Amino acid sequence: MSPSIRPLEQMLNALLKQAQSGLHDPMERAQIALRWPFEIDGKVAGTVTEEMACFLEAKVTGLNIENECLMLSPVCSNDSIPILEQIATALRQAGRLPRWRDELLAVVADDGTPLGVIERAAMRPLGLHMAATHLVGQRTDGRYWLQQRAFDKDTDPGLWDTLAGGLVGTEIVDGLRQRENLKRATQRESWEEAGTPASLLREMQSLPTSRINRMVREGHMVQDNYAFLASLPMDYIPQNFDGEVEKFEHFSQAEVIDMISHGQLALEPAIIMLQRSIRKA
């Protein structure tokens, strides 16, 4: 192993352990172990607290509790999307959700089976599996474009991030609404956040995937993070359209690593950029 790689791998391993504290931290593991499975059509989709399971069973027709498991009743499973909407609405009316986004995300089983869609704000309280995508934008001179997250963001305000990224949304496939294609999601987010035209993203390369599994303020966060690398011309200048970016700057690889070591990048992009640096070394 190259001496220059070893510190990067140590830094990466520490961040991965933080991202998966639900697997490593004894207190978080105990919290997660107390949560009940949330099943749709016999497939585990997420987890809920016992108290939330009882609340939802009482509020939403089609849900029942059996053997410490919140289940969407088999007779209702073909009608899961309206029931998932009712779940989110009941939680919202009871003040149990963070900021409502009017944004639908896919509900998928542990094995990847699509099970419906639900309001984004309900994902973590229900421990549902999410997916996020990131664009790593590298100029032809080797420097990386990063964005500074807006200071009014709910998560990681003011920290630095990859050029663009966000949660994977939904799209209609064969008449059914399900999780958005990853590359289309990356292109959409890259246009909204950085004004990157799709023509510059046709040759994107896949980068390593990482998973977050941890307890957060809203509930249980389980999220797969996908990343793509794009080579961008020197005359490309990012431009934000959705109001969620404070500014853009470009940095050398060494500068990015130094920023990570000083906690200036959010957790997910820090992992992605370290993985990229190790692969290049």
Side-chain angles (χ1 to χ4, degrees):
M1 183 188 299
S2 168
S4 62
I5 296 178
R6 189 175 292 110
L8 299 184
E9 291 190 334
Q10 291 173 342
M11 194 184 307
L12 174 60
N13 288 335
L15 292 178
L16 288 172
K17 190 173 181 179
Q18 181 181 343
Q20 299 181 358
S21 56
L23 303 177
H24 302 290
D25 182 82
M27 291 185 63
E28 285 196 33
R29 288 177 60 186
Q31 283 182 278
I32 293 171
L34 289 173
R35 293 173 69 90
W36 290 3
F38 173 34
E39 288 188 0
I40 300 175
D41 201 16
K43 295 181 179 293
V44 176
T47 62
V48 293
T49 63
E50 177 182 355
E51 188 275 334
M52 181 174 286
C54 294
F55 168 81
L56 289 173
E57 183 190 38
K59 290 287 185 179
V60 180
T61 302
L63 292 178
N64 62 7
I65 292 173
E66 186 175 324
N67 298 323
E68 296 187 347
C69 176
L70 180 65
M71 304 171 62
L72 197 159
S73 304
V75 70
C76 299
S77 61
N78 292 329
D79 202 26
S80 64
I81 291 181
I83 294 177
L84 289 167
E85 182 180 356
Q86 292 171 35
I87 290 171
T89 300
L91 293 173
R92 181 188 192 185
Q93 291 175 345
R96 291 169 173 255
L97 295 184
R99 181 164 61 97
W100 189 271
R101 302 290 291 267
D102 280 322
E103 182 178 343
L104 294 176
L105 298 185
V107 177
V108 299
D110 284 348
D111 62 5
T113 302
L115 299 172
V117 296
I118 197 169
E119 157 64 30
R120 169 177 171 169
M123 296 296 285
R124 294 177 184 177
L126 297 173
L128 298 171
H129 295 186
M130 300 182 293
T133 183
H134 286 261
L135 179 69
V136 176
Q138 186 172 25
R139 305 192 330 167
T140 52
D141 65 354
R143 295 174 69 84
Y144 293 96
W145 279 107
L146 298 181
Q147 62 155 282
Q148 186 179 31
R149 297 167 64 85
F151 287 98
D152 59 356
K153 292 276 286 186
D154 292 335
T155 306
D156 299 323
L159 291 184
W160 290 87
D161 207 330
T162 52
L163 174 58
L167 293 178
V168 178
T170 61
E171 61 185 4
I172 303 295
V173 179
D174 297 328
L176 297 175
R177 183 168 290 280
Q178 53 188 271
R179 182 170 284 173
E180 190 177 12
N181 173 275
L182 290 175
K183 288 195 174 181
R184 284 195 290 272
T186 307
Q187 291 173 343
R188 173 182 54 76
E189 287 286 345
S190 298
W191 173 254
E192 292 172 1
E193 289 198 343
T196 313
S199 60
L200 296 182
L201 305 179
R202 291 174 183 156
E203 304 297 327
M204 291 190 301
Q205 302 175 37
S206 296
L207 295 176
T209 301
S210 61
R211 168 166 282 200
I212 293 180
N213 186 331
R214 62 192 304 209
M215 294 299 296
V216 294
R217 182 179 67 253
E218 301 93 337
H220 185 196
M221 180 179 181
V222 183
Q223 179 176 302
D224 290 318
N225 297 309
Y226 300 90
F228 296 91
L229 174 70
S231 178
L232 300 173
M234 295 292 288
D235 60 357
Y236 163 78
I237 303 296
Q239 181 180 0
N240 178 246
F241 294 128
D242 63 8
E244 297 189 356
V245 176
E246 181 69 20
K247 63 181 178 181
F248 298 95
E249 291 186 19
H250 52 79
F251 303 90
S252 68
Q253 179 173 294
E255 289 171 331
V256 172
I257 292 171
D258 183 66
M259 293 167 70
I260 293 171
S261 70
H262 287 88
Q264 293 176 271
L265 265 70
L267 179 60
E268 297 164 46
I271 290 172
I272 290 167
M273 296 305 297
L274 279 174
Q275 288 173 326
R276 168 64 181 163
S277 297
I278 290 170
R279 174 178 280 194
K280 279 194 66 181

